[in-house]
Amino acid sequence: MAVPSQSSMKRYLEELAMEQHELALSTGSAQVFQWKAHPIRTTLCRMNRGFILTGGDKVLRLWSAQTGKYMDEFHVPTGSSVIDYDFDENKIVGLTASQVCIWRRHGQRGIVQSQKGLFAHGLCMSYADPEAVIGCEDGRARVFDMYSRSCSRIIRLQSGPLSCLTITQDQLIAGGSTFGSVAIADITSGERLALLKSSFSPTGMKCLSFNAQSYLLFAGSTSGYAHCWDLRTLKPLWEKRVSPNVIYSTHHMFKETSILAVGGLDGILRILDQSTGEILKSYIVDPRGSQSNSSKLQNQNIEKKQAVSLDEDLRVDVIPRNSRPSITCLAVGMKKVVTTHVGNFVRLWKFNQ
């Protein structure tokens, strides 16, 4: 009998884990852990390697993606609010309105700040070591080299403000605008390669996510449409109105090619099929009761709730507004989704098959 190689066994286990993850989000149930993350504002979240990083005011806070327990925090030295950020196992890269800040996560604490005046009114950011690309109000993307701490290139993407950005592994930038288009440009040459538009009425782009496995680019818009383009052909694959209101965030795991999580103003967590845009499942938190667990550290209080799935034909406006607080941002991990909400709290959704 043939013995499978170590690489083939690893690939099989990865595919099995991803299949279980996709089944859990699209057909399973979820427990939801909720806590207040920041004293002023909680509007952003990222998830990476078992950690959640939240922000929206003048501090970034790190939490366990398993338990929701507080782990650490990082302050903005200028007293400015963090507009956008991302992180890996070694560092955090954050954007304020006029500077890029880099925090070391381990060893001797330190922070690196870019010089002031490199860009004016940064609105969004995407990070891929060693570069961070900043989207600005003037429609240009500034490519910031984190080692030289300088702006290496300026690329004109849009005629109006850039509302969202993402970088691909092939050194492409996708930049969305409030005017409803997504520009694709080459980071190296600075050349704009394409301008992707919706086939429906003009709609502002609010968020972007790129799938490096399938070369699909996803976007959420102000009119509630979710969009998908194939960057190999630069043509739309599907456009579906999945919400009656603005979509603030879309996300999926790095090697995931089936599931796309979407959240926005109406407060409903939707799970879409990446290939078709079909809504596979819609979730809210059951408003009936919760259990509380207090953490000794930081006097953290974590409420335990249950998610409920919604019927396909249920109208959103019949659900009480306080049962579906707006989702301002979301991030997807293995069998889990983290969301930030109007009301200044975080929810960690843990799914089971």
Side-chain angles (χ1 to χ4, degrees):
M1 185 176 69
V3 178
S5 67
Q6 185 176 355
S7 61
S8 63
M9 180 59 72
K10 180 182 178 182
R11 184 167 58 251
Y12 167 75
L13 292 174
E14 287 178 347
E15 290 173 354
L16 180 62
M18 194 59 67
E19 182 180 330
Q20 292 176 343
H21 160 78
E22 292 163 357
L23 282 171
L25 265 66
S26 60
T27 64
S29 59
Q31 287 188 326
V32 183
F33 299 84
Q34 177 178 309
W35 68 93
K36 187 173 182 178
H38 294 256
I40 301 174
R41 186 170 62 249
T42 310
T43 56
L44 298 169
C45 61
R46 303 287 184 267
M47 185 155 40
N48 193 349
R49 296 181 180 271
F51 294 98
I52 297 166
L53 189 66
T54 60
D57 51 19
K58 300 174 183 179
V59 63
L60 297 171
R61 285 185 171 159
L62 196 68
W63 315 85
S64 166
Q66 296 301 319
T67 63
K69 180 182 176 182
Y70 168 89
M71 305 296 289
D72 206 346
E73 63 183 48
F74 305 84
H75 292 262
V76 182
T78 59
S80 302
S81 293
V82 177
I83 294 171
D84 205 349
Y85 61 87
D86 207 342
F87 77 112
D88 57 29
E89 58 269 26
N90 298 314
K91 59 185 170 297
I92 300 167
V93 182
L95 172 70
T96 68
S98 60
Q99 284 186 293
V100 175
C101 300
I102 306 169
W103 293 265
R104 285 194 293 268
R105 286 184 55 190
H106 309 292
Q108 184 179 0
R109 276 295 179 85
I111 181 170
V112 174
Q113 296 173 258
S114 66
Q115 297 177 357
K116 290 186 176 181
L118 289 180
F119 55 89
H121 204 174
L123 300 177
C124 53
M125 185 203 79
S126 186
Y127 153 66
D129 201 3
E131 295 174 323
V133 181
I134 299 101
C136 298
E137 193 176 40
D138 61 4
R140 292 176 170 87
R142 270 78 176 176
V143 182
F144 177 77
D145 186 289
M146 290 184 286
Y147 295 99
S148 66
R149 305 181 195 178
S150 62
C151 185
S152 59
R153 289 176 296 286
I154 300 176
I155 302 171
R156 180 66 179 264
L157 290 177
Q158 299 277 4
S159 58
L162 291 172
S163 52
C164 46
L165 272 179
T166 190
I167 309 173
T168 77
Q169 290 182 314
D170 299 322
Q171 291 287 291
L172 297 178
I173 308 173
S177 81
T178 53
F179 298 142
S181 61
V182 178
I184 309 296
D186 186 299
I187 293 181
T188 305
S189 67
E191 179 185 1
R192 197 173 81 170
L193 306 175
L195 191 66
L196 311 177
K197 295 182 179 181
S198 169
S199 58
F200 295 97
S201 58
T203 179
M205 296 299 168
K206 296 296 291 184
C207 54
L208 289 171
S209 56
F210 173 70
N211 191 319
Q213 303 296 309
S214 60
Y215 289 90
L216 299 182
L217 178 69
F218 304 100
S221 67
T222 54
S223 58
Y225 277 91
H227 308 263
C228 177
W229 293 273
D230 189 331
L231 290 193
R232 292 167 296 189
T233 62
L234 297 175
K235 293 182 178 179
L237 186 61
W238 51 261
E239 292 180 298
K240 297 286 182 69
R241 194 175 192 203
V242 299
S243 170
N245 304 107
V246 57
I247 296 173
Y248 289 129
S249 190
T250 62
H251 197 248
H252 52 80
M253 289 185 65
F254 177 69
K255 292 186 177 181
E256 186 175 21
T257 58
S258 298
I259 297 294
L260 179 71
V262 173
L265 185 64
D266 67 7
I268 296 174
L269 175 61
R270 292 179 174 88
I271 307 300
L272 309 186
D273 185 314
Q274 287 191 22
S275 301
T276 64
E278 175 192 358
I279 299 175
L280 302 176
K281 210 77 169 180
S282 299
Y283 296 99
I284 62 170
V285 166
D286 191 337
R288 297 170 298 180
S290 63
Q291 299 174 352
S292 295
N293 295 312
S294 295
S295 168
K296 294 180 180 179
L297 190 60
Q298 297 288 311
N299 295 318
Q300 184 184 348
N301 182 62
I302 300 177
E303 295 181 84
K304 186 177 178 181
K305 300 173 179 285
Q306 188 68 35
V308 292
S309 60
L310 305 178
D311 294 335
E312 291 182 16
D313 55 354
L314 181 66
R315 285 174 36 213
V316 173
D317 57 3
V318 303
I319 306 171
R321 198 67 188 88
N322 59 4
S323 296
R324 46 182 184 88
S326 295
I327 297 172
T328 58
C329 191
L330 61 80
V332 180
M334 184 61 73
K335 292 187 180 180
K336 60 178 70 74
V337 178
V338 61
T339 54
T340 54
H341 296 262
V342 169
N344 203 24
F345 60 88
V346 175
R347 283 175 173 169
L348 175 60
W349 309 64
K350 302 181 74 172
F351 290 84
N352 301 296
Q353 285 179 248

